[in-house]
């Protein structure tokens, strides 16, 4: 393996010496410059694998150097060295294209982790096989091509990314792709739905707790930050965080340290933060339901997940992929969509986006006869809706309206199906005939009702 080279740009000789010694012990070759002019000369005459630059230099700003490198050597990762009082400037550097930042006084453990992550960016080793099997961001539309290009760029950074979009647009899938294409891909990706954690348990869930810290704490328990150490923590529905937790989360993100509930010492954590919500986070800030300082810290880079109605040309590809997944899950032959069904889907507004498309197809696959789905199998509850017209309540499909009824009848359905299975000694084919439904419909009901 060839020796990797790092360019150090800092006007303080003591900092340069400390960095040279630390990186030298990591087996790296270093060259140093005290200002932008000398750095430009070294960049012109040498090949580097990483640049570490201070933000305040005698002849300009480190951001100017970042912009120069972005223009001339876009694949060279740049890490920023910033003083504690320049957090806003450090965030500006991330927006300009910096990979990450480390604060002064230097935390050498944090520095070594940052350097290790940055140097992985230009290694050509492919992601692990299990990562390559994950579904990609499907679609040939221009908006999806832009999303994929943006994800590839964001994967090379450690900047926090805020993903905004309606429910069902695939915000978590976008976050997973940013993680899977970046240097943290071999470490954990930990998603958490912030709205699903009871407020009284939130601090323990995020930061962990020590034995005896509260009633029921019978053992030490690591939190989500520790579970994601070295990887990515995805905060889904981040707008649902209560204000007291927002304060603690902000400190954990800025200091990169956490204190488990009941612990005396803080713990260093190395995580990349990605967040998402279907709400308008800026409106939540204006309404004083979300802290402005946390909003700016999370929203270093914003990425919008497009609604399905804005890319109707992607529906055939998405539908084929989803039907293939349904067939594999049910161990049934591949289903297809007739032209009339495709036409109906292409004109439907999809208030629930890709998640609703999957629900519609699963329902249709359950109820149809044969292997080809037609318009009547889809059971769309409203006439085709103009794609430029915002969805109305009338567009909500039957399966949403029936959810309350399904809940009420679930126990009765489960009892009837169990009796049929017991009568046929759990022969599912015979049980389906006894119930007067297709085998496919029975499989669907077994899955929905959780009957094993």
């Amino acid at each position: 393996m060839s020796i990797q080279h790092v360019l150090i740009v800092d006007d303080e000789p003591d900092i340069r010496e400390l960095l040279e010694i630390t990186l030298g012990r990591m087996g790296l070759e270093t060259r140093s410059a005290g200002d932008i002019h000398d750095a430009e000369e070294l960049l012109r005459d040498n090949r580097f694998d990483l640049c570490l630059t201070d933000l305040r230099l005698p002849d300009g700003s480190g951001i100017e150097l970042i912009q120069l490198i972005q223009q001339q050597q876009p694949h060279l990762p740049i890490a920023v060295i910033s003083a504690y009082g320049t957090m806003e400037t450090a965030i500006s550097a991330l927006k300009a294209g910096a990979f990450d930042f480390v604060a002064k006084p230097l935390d050498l453990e944090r520095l070594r982790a940052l350097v290790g992550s940055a140097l992985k960016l230009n290694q050509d080793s492919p992601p692990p096989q299990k990562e390559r099997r994950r579904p990609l961001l499907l679609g040939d539309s221009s908006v999806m091509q832009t999303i994929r290009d943006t994800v590839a760029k964001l994967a090379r950074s450690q900047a926090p990314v805020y993903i905004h979009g309606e429910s069902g647009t695939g915000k978590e899938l976008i976050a997973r792709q940013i993680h899977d294409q970046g240097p943290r891909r071999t470490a954990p990706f930990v998603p958490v739905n912030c709205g699903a954690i009871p407020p009284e348990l939130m601090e323990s869930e995020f930061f962990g707790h020590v034995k005896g810290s509260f009633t029921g704490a019978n053992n030490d328990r690591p939190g989500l930050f520790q579970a994601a150490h070295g990887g990515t923590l995805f905060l889904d529905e981040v707008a649902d965080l209560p204000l007291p937790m927002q304060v603690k989360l902000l400190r954990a993100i800025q200091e990169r340290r956490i204190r488990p509930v009941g612990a005396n010492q803080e713990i260093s954590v190395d995580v990349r933060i990605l967040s998402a919500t279907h709400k308008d986070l800026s409106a939540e800030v204006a309404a004083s339901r979300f802290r402005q300082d946390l909003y700016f810290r999370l929203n270093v880079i914003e990425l919008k997940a497009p609604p399905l109605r804005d890319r109707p040309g992607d529906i055939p590809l998405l539908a084929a992929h989803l039907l293939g997944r349904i067939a594999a899950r049910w161990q049934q032959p591949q289903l297809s969509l007739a032209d009339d069904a495709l036409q109906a889907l292409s004109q439907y507004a999809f208030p629930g986006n890709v998640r609703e498309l999957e629900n519609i197809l699963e329902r249709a696959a359950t109820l149809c006869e044969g292997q080809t789905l037609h318009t009547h199998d889809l059971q769309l509850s409203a006439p085709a809706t103009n794609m430029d017209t915002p969805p109305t309540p009338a567009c909500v499909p039957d399966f949403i309206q029936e959810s309350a009824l399904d809940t009420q009848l679930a126990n009765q359905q489960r009892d009837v199906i169990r009796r049929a299975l017991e009568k046929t000694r759990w022969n599912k084919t015979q049980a389906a005939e006894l119930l007067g439904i297709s085998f496919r419909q029975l499989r669907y009901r077994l899955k929905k009702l959780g009957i094993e």
Side-chain angles (χ1 to χ4, degrees):
M1 186 178 189
S2 60
I3 296 176
Q4 294 176 297
H5 298 78
V6 181
L7 171 62
I8 299 169
V9 187
D10 198 298
D11 62 335
E12 297 183 50
D14 291 346
I15 295 292
R16 292 201 301 269
E17 183 178 6
L18 175 61
L19 291 171
E20 288 168 354
I21 292 172
T22 302
L23 300 187
R25 288 174 176 170
M26 296 176 67
L28 304 173
E29 292 285 345
T30 61
R31 299 291 299 274
S32 297
D35 54 36
I36 293 177
H37 177 268
D38 289 349
E40 289 179 355
E41 289 189 352
L42 288 170
L43 285 165
R44 185 169 54 249
D45 299 334
N46 299 272
R47 184 195 67 79
F48 293 101
D49 300 287
L50 171 65
C51 174
L52 288 172
T53 180
D54 194 1
L55 283 175
R56 295 179 179 177
L57 298 168
D59 54 348
S61 164
I63 291 180
E64 296 175 30
L65 181 60
I66 293 170
Q67 293 169 337
L68 175 70
I69 292 175
Q70 285 286 299
Q71 293 172 1
Q72 298 180 357
Q73 301 183 43
H75 293 290
L76 175 60
I78 312 154
V80 167
I81 305 168
S82 66
Y84 275 132
T86 60
M87 181 62 69
E88 291 183 4
T89 311
I91 291 175
S92 298
L94 291 174
K95 290 184 176 180
F99 168 79
D100 204 350
F101 69 90
V102 60
K104 293 181 180 179
L106 293 175
D107 180 333
L108 296 185
E109 180 183 351
R110 161 74 184 141
L111 173 67
R112 285 189 285 267
L114 181 153
V115 170
S117 294
L119 292 174
K120 290 179 183 177
L121 284 174
N122 292 326
Q123 294 178 359
D124 294 328
S125 58
Q129 185 66 31
K130 66 175 182 178
E131 304 291 348
R132 293 200 296 270
R133 287 200 299 266
R134 285 182 178 161
L136 301 177
L137 298 168
L138 297 176
D140 297 325
S141 60
S142 60
V143 67
M144 287 308 297
Q145 291 173 7
T146 300
I147 288 286
R148 285 192 293 269
D149 291 343
T150 303
V151 163
K153 292 177 183 177
L154 296 179
R156 293 182 56 82
S157 168
Q158 294 302 291
V161 178
Y162 164 57
I163 306 168
H164 178 251
E166 299 173 9
S167 294
T169 49
K171 297 185 288 295
E172 182 174 339
L173 181 57
I174 291 174
R176 283 186 179 275
Q177 288 298 304
I178 293 173
H179 171 82
D180 287 350
Q181 295 181 33
R184 294 176 178 266
R185 61 177 175 257
T186 57
F189 174 88
V190 179
V192 53
N193 187 329
C194 297
I197 304 174
E200 63 273 12
L201 297 179
M202 195 159 282
E203 185 175 0
S204 173
E205 285 293 315
F206 274 98
F207 306 140
H209 62 253
V210 298
K211 181 180 179 180
S213 56
F214 54 84
T215 303
N218 299 321
N219 298 287
D220 290 353
R221 183 178 182 276
L224 294 165
F225 270 85
Q226 292 151 289
H229 184 72
T232 301
L233 181 61
F234 174 54
L235 306 175
D236 197 9
E237 299 304 342
V238 69
D240 292 338
L241 284 172
L243 285 169
M245 189 61 206
Q246 292 178 29
V247 178
K248 295 171 182 175
L249 179 62
L250 175 64
R251 186 180 186 280
I253 293 173
Q254 291 191 160
E255 302 297 330
R256 307 189 195 220
R257 302 181 71 85
I258 61 168
R259 187 193 300 273
V261 176
N264 296 321
Q265 300 293 326
E266 289 187 329
I267 300 171
S268 295
V269 287
D270 172 27
V271 299
R272 184 181 188 182
I273 300 291
L274 305 178
S275 60
T277 181
H278 71 282
K279 297 180 180 179
D280 184 340
L281 207 52
S282 60
E284 295 295 300
V285 171
S288 299
R289 290 188 294 266
F290 200 85
R291 292 181 61 94
Q292 187 178 55
D293 46 8
L294 179 57
Y295 170 70
F296 287 133
R297 193 65 188 86
L298 294 175
N299 190 23
V300 173
I301 299 173
E302 182 172 349
L303 181 59
K304 189 175 190 310
L308 186 53
R309 61 182 172 275
D310 286 355
R311 51 187 189 109
D314 291 337
I315 289 176
L317 180 61
L318 287 168
H321 171 76
L322 292 171
L323 286 173
R325 197 159 70 183
I326 291 169
R329 189 164 63 237
W330 293 357
Q331 298 180 344
Q332 294 289 309
Q334 175 71 43
L335 298 166
S336 62
L337 285 167
D339 291 342
D340 63 308
L342 275 173
Q343 178 69 16
L345 290 173
S346 68
Q347 294 179 322
Y348 184 65
F350 286 104
N353 295 292
V354 179
R355 186 180 298 130
E356 182 183 354
L357 172 61
E358 182 170 16
N359 286 333
I360 288 172
L361 293 176
E362 185 166 334
R363 175 189 176 97
T366 303
L367 301 177
C368 80
E369 299 294 337
Q371 303 305 123
T372 302
L373 306 183
H374 292 273
T375 304
H376 64 270
D377 296 312
L378 302 176
Q379 296 192 17
L380 302 178
S381 62
T385 304
N386 188 302
M387 300 304 293
D388 297 325
T389 304
T392 64
C395 297
V396 179
D398 288 341
F399 72 87
I400 293 177
Q401 299 172 14
E402 291 176 358
S403 60
L405 179 60
D406 282 345
T407 301
Q408 296 174 16
L409 298 178
N411 288 335
Q412 292 178 318
Q413 293 179 16
R414 193 176 289 111
D415 185 54
V416 170
I417 292 173
R418 281 189 183 279
R419 286 204 303 268
L421 288 167
E422 289 169 358
K423 189 171 183 178
T424 59
R425 296 184 179 181
W426 290 80
N427 184 310
K428 294 176 183 177
T429 302
Q430 293 180 12
E433 293 176 357
L434 184 63
L435 292 165
I437 60 177
S438 68
F439 181 74
R440 186 186 297 158
Q441 289 172 315
L442 177 60
R443 287 181 63 90
Y444 173 77
R445 287 294 170 188
L446 291 174
K447 175 177 175 292
K448 185 175 182 180
L449 297 171
I451 300 173
E452 298 296 336

